[in-house]
Amino acid sequence: MGVLSRLYTGVPHLLAKRCIPAAATYTTRHSSSSSTDLKTVLGEKVPAFQQEVAAFRKEYGDAKVGDITVNMMYGGMRGMKGLVTETSVLDPNEGIRFRGYSIPECQEKLPKAAGGAEPLPEALFWLLCTGDIPTEAQTKAISKEWADRADVPTHVVTMLNNFPATVHPMAQLSAACNALSTESLFSKAYADGVKKSEYWQYAYEDSMNLIAKLPTVASIIYRNLYRDGKVAPIDPDLDWSANFVKMLGYDNKDFTELMRLYLTIHTDHEGGNVSAHTCHLVGSALSDPYLSFAASMNGLAGPLHGLANQEVLIWLNKVHSEHSSFTDDELKEFVWETLKTGVIPGYGHAVLRKTDPRYMVQREFALKHLPDDPMFHLVSQLYNIVPDVLREHGKAANPWPNVDAHSGVLLQYYGMTEMNYYTVLFGVSRALGVLSSLIWDRALGLPLERPKSMSTEGLKKLVGASK
């Protein structure tokens, strides 16, 4: 089944002529190529998918996929179908699927490190790019290639070392990615007049180079701000996450496993969230992947997006400091008091209408590795109390916990207490999603994004409200 077939299952009127069932059963799609070179595999897939999209657009280009209301235009475009993203789809009642696979399915099927239980982010990147589950050899090839590409130019290192400690870690990450644009092969190829059909190849090279360098950049930021400024060298025999943990200065196999999980589940969450959409939007101007990703990180830094897990942990620490052991009734009362002046951090989601599967896999990790941790007990207690309170409160469309409700507690348990840095970890992970999507944007020749905007007066006239 092609990618479009999977993407549009559930829209049977659009696909009737193709005899595609409305409800697809996802089966394991192992790589059809034995090559361990991801670019070669993509090169085999791109032409066929280009033809599939062209044929689909030719036959169904004028088909309507939804209506736009005034409230959607004022309400952050919530629910408005306006983007095509191949790498993942978010179902309100099911959660995220990466190329058709749920998070539990990815945990089961994706290759793991020797002796490890969590999927390798390298394997998920292969899946996001190709739609196929990679072999162990293909996954190891990505680990090796990222290690080989990890060197950071001297001018970027010097810039990071010269930043005062008052510069936020996310501002440093964004600045470093902008500065890395000097290395862009895409920009050089564009200046040399490369054919549009070859754009994706240079976007791929930039994306691979950037992803490879991000753990080093992120580690320099961490070590400069919170440690002695020294960063261990890349070990070509380690996977991407293990190298990252080593460069950060940690030596704990369970923390390395947590990072493999963390860097996998935060990669992608459909194309409409701020970081993904920003990368797509800026990339549509043919800004190179470094610049596009830097813009994406500026969006991720916002308190309504990637900063949320930090706010959750601040609130949890406040709860814990006021009373080291709440009874359920006491905690319920505390939650009600919080709702009088604000929201419960970590609960609710713009799209999801169930417990975030990313929360659940972190909970399972905690049950396995830190079942007696007091902060985990508090998170679990809240999980049993908050949804009922929010339903009774009546204002939350989704009373269930999201990914941010758990991640900070896990990081804190292993000694990473620097909350200002947490969004950098999120950003390193998100690179895999937004950049794999950006490669396909260039492969499909998607144009400059330029939606039509209207004034309030114009809208009034359009709907007949203006006299």
Side-chain angles (χ1 to χ4, degrees):
M1 184 180 287
V3 177
L4 275 175
S5 306
R6 298 194 301 274
L7 183 60
Y8 282 94
T9 51
V11 194
H13 66 285
L14 291 181
L15 297 170
K17 295 182 181 180
R18 299 184 63 184
C19 301
I20 295 168
T25 299
Y26 296 102
T27 57
T28 303
R29 300 177 300 278
H30 289 287
S31 178
S32 58
S33 173
S34 60
S35 173
T36 58
D37 181 66
L38 178 56
K39 190 175 184 181
T40 297
V41 175
L42 271 172
E44 295 169 354
K45 290 180 173 289
V46 164
F49 191 56
Q50 288 172 332
Q51 293 175 14
E52 183 179 352
V53 171
F56 175 68
R57 291 186 65 184
K58 182 177 180 180
E59 187 167 1
Y60 297 103
D62 292 328
K64 294 183 179 180
V65 296
D67 296 315
I68 296 174
T69 67
V70 170
N71 277 341
M72 285 178 174
M73 296 176 70
Y74 282 102
M77 299 191 286
R78 300 288 174 88
M80 186 185 296
K81 298 179 180 68
L83 297 168
V84 175
T85 303
E86 309 297 347
T87 50
S88 65
V89 175
L90 179 59
D91 183 272
N93 298 308
E94 188 179 58
I96 194 67
R97 279 189 177 269
F98 301 123
R99 291 287 192 166
Y101 293 102
S102 68
I103 286 178
E105 287 171 334
C106 286
Q107 284 186 296
E108 175 192 351
K109 299 177 186 296
L110 292 177
K112 302 164 181 62
E118 301 299 342
L120 289 167
E122 296 93 317
L124 184 64
F125 183 71
W126 186 290
L127 173 63
L128 292 175
C129 285
T130 67
D132 297 329
I133 298 290
T135 64
E136 186 175 332
Q138 289 168 333
T139 303
K140 286 183 176 179
I142 295 293
S143 297
K144 178 66 166 60
E145 190 167 357
W146 284 351
D148 290 344
R149 294 173 181 245
D151 284 346
V152 176
T154 301
H155 72 275
V156 178
V157 176
T158 300
M159 180 188 72
L160 289 170
N161 288 342
N162 286 333
F163 276 138
T166 53
V167 179
H168 192 281
M170 283 301 288
Q172 293 193 37
L173 178 64
S174 173
C177 292
N178 277 310
L180 281 168
S181 182
T182 56
E183 312 305 297
S184 175
L185 299 176
F186 180 89
S187 293
K188 292 180 176 66
Y190 183 83
D192 291 340
V194 67
K195 294 179 181 178
K196 186 177 181 180
S197 61
E198 298 177 13
Y199 283 176
W200 76 266
Q201 299 180 36
Y202 297 94
Y204 170 87
E205 294 295 341
D206 277 4
S207 297
M208 288 289 282
N209 285 331
L210 176 53
I211 291 169
K213 298 177 195 309
L214 279 175
T216 306
V217 168
S219 297
I220 293 171
I221 294 169
Y222 183 80
R223 299 293 297 182
N224 282 347
L225 286 175
Y226 310 116
R227 298 294 187 269
D228 60 4
K230 298 177 182 178
V231 178
I234 287 284
D235 184 338
D237 295 324
L238 294 180
D239 61 82
W240 191 62
S241 305
N243 260 315
F244 191 14
V245 170
K246 176 188 172 187
M247 289 189 292
L248 287 169
Y250 291 83
D251 183 18
N252 183 307
K253 63 180 181 62
D254 289 341
F255 184 55
T256 301
E257 274 287 272
L258 173 63
M259 289 308 298
R260 289 173 182 139
L261 175 64
Y262 184 100
L263 295 173
T264 295
I265 65 175
H266 286 79
T267 53
D268 210 30
H269 218 228
E270 207 175 70
N273 65 76
V274 171
S275 53
H277 189 193
T278 300
C279 189
H280 166 80
L281 173 64
V282 176
S284 79
L286 298 186
S287 300
D288 68 57
Y290 296 99
L291 299 177
S292 302
F293 181 71
S296 170
M297 291 300 93
N298 290 335
L300 189 70
L304 296 183
H305 192 14
L307 200 64
N309 64 351
Q310 178 179 330
E311 295 190 332
V312 170
L313 192 56
I314 291 172
W315 185 74
L316 289 173
N317 284 331
K318 177 184 177 183
V319 175
H320 193 259
S321 66
E322 294 202 10
H323 207 302
S324 59
S325 180
F326 274 103
T327 66
D328 285 353
D329 287 340
E330 289 171 336
L331 188 56
K332 186 175 182 180
E333 183 179 345
F334 189 93
V335 170
W336 275 111
E337 285 297 315
T338 300
L339 286 171
K340 289 180 180 180
T341 56
V343 299
I344 307 301
Y347 281 76
H349 192 274
V351 178
L352 278 171
R353 294 298 175 263
K354 62 167 285 184
T355 298
D356 193 331
R358 300 172 299 173
Y359 173 94
M360 293 306 298
V361 294
Q362 291 181 103
R363 175 174 170 78
E364 290 164 7
F365 184 95
L367 286 167
K368 179 180 179 181
H369 294 284
L370 48 142
D372 299 322
D373 178 59
M375 289 297 284
F376 170 54
H377 283 178
L378 176 58
V379 169
S380 296
Q381 197 176 4
L382 287 165
Y383 180 51
N384 292 324
I385 291 172
V386 172
D388 288 339
V389 171
L390 290 178
R391 277 194 293 257
E392 186 179 345
H393 188 248
K395 292 185 179 181
N398 172 27
W400 303 104
N402 59 51
V403 65
D404 300 310
H406 216 308
S407 54
V409 166
L410 294 175
L411 295 170
Q412 182 175 261
Y413 175 81
Y414 288 105
M416 183 175 279
T417 58
E418 301 87 5
M419 288 184 286
N420 275 347
Y421 187 78
Y422 290 175
T423 313
V424 173
L425 298 178
F426 194 163
V428 172
S429 173
R430 186 49 59 96
L432 278 62
V434 300
L435 292 175
S436 58
S437 188
L438 191 65
I439 293 166
W440 275 105
D441 287 350
R442 300 289 74 78
L444 295 176
L446 299 187
L448 177 71
E449 186 174 289
R450 210 303 189 180
K452 171 65 178 170
S453 66
M454 300 186 72
S455 66
T456 296
E457 183 58 32
L459 266 180
K460 286 182 176 180
K461 291 179 180 178
L462 183 67
V463 301
S466 182
K467 297 181 180 179

